[in-house]
Amino acid sequence: MDKNGLLRNLPKIDELLKEDKLNYALNTSSRIIILEAARKVIDCYRGKLLKEEIKDYSKEEVIEEILKEINKKSLSNLRKVINATGVIIHTNLGRSILCKEAVKNVMNVCESYSNLEYNLEKGSRGTRYEHIEQLITKLTGAEAALVVNNNAAAVMLTLNTLCNDKEAIVSRGELVEIGGSFRVPDVMRFSGAKLVDVGTTNRTHLYDYENYINENTGVLLKVHTSNFKILGFTESVSLEEMAALGDKYNIPVMEDIGSGTLIDFSKYGLSYEPTVQASVKNGIDVVTFSGDKMLGGPQVGIIVGKQKYIDEMKKNQLTRALRIDKITLAALEGTLKMYLDESLAVEKIPTLYMILSDEKIHEKRAYELSERLKKELNDNWRIRVDKDYSMVGGGSMPEEKINTYVVKIKNSVYKPVQLEEILRKNETPIIIRISKDEIIMDLRTIYDKDFEIIVEALKDK
Ligand SMILES: *Cc1c(COP(=O)(O)O)cnc(C)c1O
């Protein structure tokens, strides 16, 4: 058939909709989406015919293209990706994956009404925080707890409550930027606290804080410099000394520990990351930390500390604006319950498992993935297993390099940057690292169930 004939014969939309396959798509997609997809594909074929980029087509082929387009349109913008980077707490990729129990909790609470603010014992109004406060105090040893939207909010609420129009004394070495534009000095300004930075970048002594204490001092603040380390000639004040200084002058001592782990990673052969329990035990009055970093839960900011300070925060109007919703609450309770048994937590909470699991496990898995790829891919591919390092990420344990195994892949036709793009634009996007002439997939952050998707994404290329 000539060009004009082919153009004239392009299937009509209403005819197409009568086709079984598209009619069947109506079960799962709306009519509008199917119509839009059909129009787009037909327009595309018309364009290609006019430009003589194609010489022929079949109706079946057009229908398949429309089905693909429907599929694309049905995907959510926010969707699953495979994190093959080996950065475990990857802020761009959603930080922590929830454990199964947390997800189950979320489903339960979202598919029905819940007792979010209803006290079932008394049959009267309750508060959303009472569901988890006891669990948090039990795990951390603190007197009281409050949960807000994220740790930035936790810091802001704490400073606003304890230090509005007053001075917060902080070491110059701890005026950090965490990334995603969390800068300690900026957050402090927003909270209404006046920043008084003392000491020097590398050394701050107890007397540096003490010298600046006056009747207008609101808090003594310590910030965990999560994402960098100052090495060499350094000095900082211990938690006990800070707590004692606060006691002496009757000024609350607050600590933002960022990552907020509840388990001591040094027990497992990694570097020590400050635990929440240690800060509480050492007498810090208020401690704030993230829920989706090393804790491995949903995005929240957890505030623990002395009852009187937490009570004041609960009354602060800002708390209403920073409150968490039931989805978050359900996820947090599901996560925290795991910590009642540490052996369960390190097994079931993905973030902890990824950090702590034995490299030998990932060696075996790397060979499994590489064998599957070798079996399915053509001769243009070179695939090998190698040792490498994973990172904790999320500004936590910046120095810790965790031994891991990776699959390294190269192709004689596609350059690494092209492979990166192909994988990134896959229906389930696969995010990888590039090193020289190879792409790298780290098994530590990939699930077994994702092997199939990875193989499919590269097959026939
Ligand atoms: C990550 C971090 C924050 C910000 O926490 P979000 O939960 O991301 O809001 C604040 N302070 C420290 C020390 C951090 O490490």
Side-chain angles (χ1 to χ4, degrees):
M1 210 182 290
D2 68 352
K3 188 165 114 184
N4 285 334
L6 284 167
L7 278 168
R8 235 177 300 121
N9 266 354
L10 274 170
K12 303 276 172 303
I13 305 277
D14 42 342
E15 272 170 38
L16 276 171
L17 292 186
K18 287 186 203 128
E19 290 288 330
D20 282 351
K21 279 185 174 171
L22 291 183
N23 209 355
Y24 187 73
L26 269 172
N27 288 330
T28 48
S29 304
S30 74
R31 198 180 165 79
I32 305 263
I33 286 188
I34 297 172
L35 272 175
E36 279 179 3
R39 273 193 203 113
K40 183 168 169 188
V41 170
I42 298 289
D43 282 349
C44 181
Y45 271 90
R46 186 175 296 117
K48 281 185 177 169
L49 284 169
L50 285 169
K51 283 191 238 152
E52 296 183 3
E53 284 171 13
I54 51 171
K55 298 256 173 293
D56 203 4
Y57 59 80
S58 70
K59 192 166 171 187
E60 284 65 42
E61 171 193 334
V62 174
I63 291 171
E64 283 309 315
E65 285 303 313
I66 295 172
L67 285 172
K68 267 194 221 159
E69 188 61 31
I70 292 171
N71 209 5
K72 232 196 285 175
K73 281 184 192 292
S74 313
L75 288 175
S76 293
N77 280 329
L78 177 62
R79 60 193 208 259
K80 167 184 170 156
V81 310
I82 294 172
N83 173 11
T85 65
V87 179
I88 296 166
I89 306 169
H90 198 307
T91 297
N92 299 153
L93 305 182
R95 287 198 182 158
S96 284
I97 297 179
L98 294 179
C99 63
K100 291 236 159 53
E101 291 69 17
V103 173
K104 221 185 294 165
N105 251 4
V106 169
M107 301 282 278
N108 258 334
V109 163
C110 294
E111 290 180 337
S112 340
Y113 289 105
S114 64
N115 60 336
L116 180 64
E117 292 190 345
Y118 188 69
N119 186 318
L120 294 173
E121 281 300 311
K122 298 183 189 146
S124 60
R125 195 193 151 88
T127 80
R128 64 183 61 214
Y129 301 111
E130 65 196 23
H131 302 291
I132 36 159
E133 183 165 4
Q134 258 193 12
L135 187 52
I136 298 173
T137 54
K138 186 169 177 184
L139 291 170
T140 59
E143 287 176 13
L146 180 61
V147 183
V148 290
N149 198 33
N150 55 22
N151 188 34
V155 172
M156 178 124 81
L157 175 64
T158 305
L159 285 173
N160 181 262
T161 308
L162 303 180
C163 201
N164 193 13
D165 280 333
K166 289 186 160 182
E167 294 173 357
I169 305 182
V170 62
S171 161
R172 209 157 270 163
E174 297 174 2
L175 292 175
V176 294
E177 171 172 317
I178 305 294
S181 72
F182 182 93
R183 284 186 159 173
V184 172
D186 296 343
V187 172
M188 290 176 89
R189 252 190 303 281
F190 266 111
S191 73
K194 287 193 205 102
L195 183 73
V196 178
D197 51 324
V198 302
T200 60
T201 309
N202 56 333
R203 289 170 75 86
T204 301
H205 304 271
L206 194 63
Y207 59 74
D208 287 320
Y209 292 93
E210 192 160 15
N211 284 345
Y212 279 89
I213 291 177
N214 62 48
E215 67 285 352
N216 208 21
T217 305
V219 294
L220 307 178
L221 169 64
K222 256 191 106 58
V223 181
H224 177 46
T225 54
S226 319
N227 54 1
F228 73 100
K229 277 239 163 22
I230 298 181
L231 301 174
F233 188 56
T234 65
E235 170 94 35
S236 65
V237 176
S238 75
L239 297 175
E240 288 139 290
E241 289 175 296
M242 282 288 273
L245 185 64
D247 275 349
K248 183 172 161 191
Y249 291 94
N250 201 17
I251 295 167
V253 180
M254 142 182 198
E255 186 187 20
D256 169 19
I257 58 175
S259 227
T261 157
L262 295 178
I263 68 169
D264 178 0
F265 279 91
S266 66
K267 275 199 322 208
Y268 300 88
L270 295 180
S271 50
Y272 178 74
E273 177 77 16
T275 66
V276 181
Q277 295 93 318
S279 296
V280 171
K281 203 163 149 210
N282 279 309
I284 300 296
D285 296 295
V286 179
V287 184
T288 69
F289 54 99
S290 287
D292 54 356
K293 291 185 182 170
M294 292 181 88
L295 196 76
Q299 178 196 300
V300 290
I302 301 178
I303 309 171
V304 300
K306 302 265 161 70
Q307 185 83 51
K308 63 173 175 179
Y309 298 126
I310 302 289
D311 283 347
E312 279 179 55
M313 289 183 217
K314 285 179 179 167
K315 287 187 215 124
N316 190 330
Q317 281 305 304
L318 202 49
T319 301
R320 176 64 175 75
L322 303 176
R323 79 179 186 186
I324 53 170
D325 81 330
K326 61 188 177 209
I327 301 178
T328 308
L329 203 45
L332 183 62
E333 188 179 6
T335 307
L336 289 175
K337 276 206 167 135
M338 293 289 125
Y339 281 95
L340 293 171
D341 177 351
E342 185 171 316
S343 62
L344 211 58
V346 297
E347 188 63 33
K348 302 275 188 190
I349 295 176
T351 300
L352 297 184
Y353 180 79
M354 285 179 192
I355 294 173
L356 295 173
S357 49
D358 196 291
E359 63 187 282
K360 290 279 167 241
I361 295 173
H362 301 299
E363 179 181 22
K364 183 161 165 278
R365 298 175 62 240
Y367 280 106
E368 276 168 32
L369 177 58
S370 81
E371 286 314 309
R372 284 178 69 168
L373 286 165
K374 281 179 189 168
K375 215 169 95 199
E376 299 284 347
L377 304 187
N378 63 30
D379 291 343
N380 294 340
W381 298 87
R382 285 283 165 278
I383 298 152
R384 66 190 179 108
V385 170
D386 202 1
K387 280 186 160 211
D388 209 319
Y389 300 104
S390 310
M391 303 291 287
V392 174
S396 312
M397 293 192 175
E399 286 180 299
E400 196 65 62
K401 289 171 133 186
I402 305 171
N403 290 324
T404 192
Y405 281 84
V406 297
V407 173
K408 294 188 169 174
I409 302 171
K410 61 177 159 182
N411 182 287
S412 54
V413 180
Y414 298 107
K415 293 195 191 81
V417 285
Q418 291 172 310
L419 291 177
E420 186 275 333
E421 185 176 350
I422 289 171
L423 290 167
R424 174 163 40 85
K425 294 189 173 163
N426 195 45
E427 181 173 320
T428 302
I430 302 163
I431 313 300
I432 51 95
R433 282 190 291 138
I434 294 177
S435 170
K436 297 186 198 122
D437 59 344
E438 290 172 310
I439 62 166
I440 298 183
M441 298 188 184
D442 186 334
L443 272 291
R444 209 172 263 283
T445 48
I446 300 173
Y447 280 103
D448 288 348
K449 64 177 186 221
D450 296 330
F451 287 5
E452 189 63 34
I453 301 173
I454 294 171
V455 172
E456 283 298 318
L458 294 176
K459 217 164 90 178
D460 308 325
K461 292 279 175 334

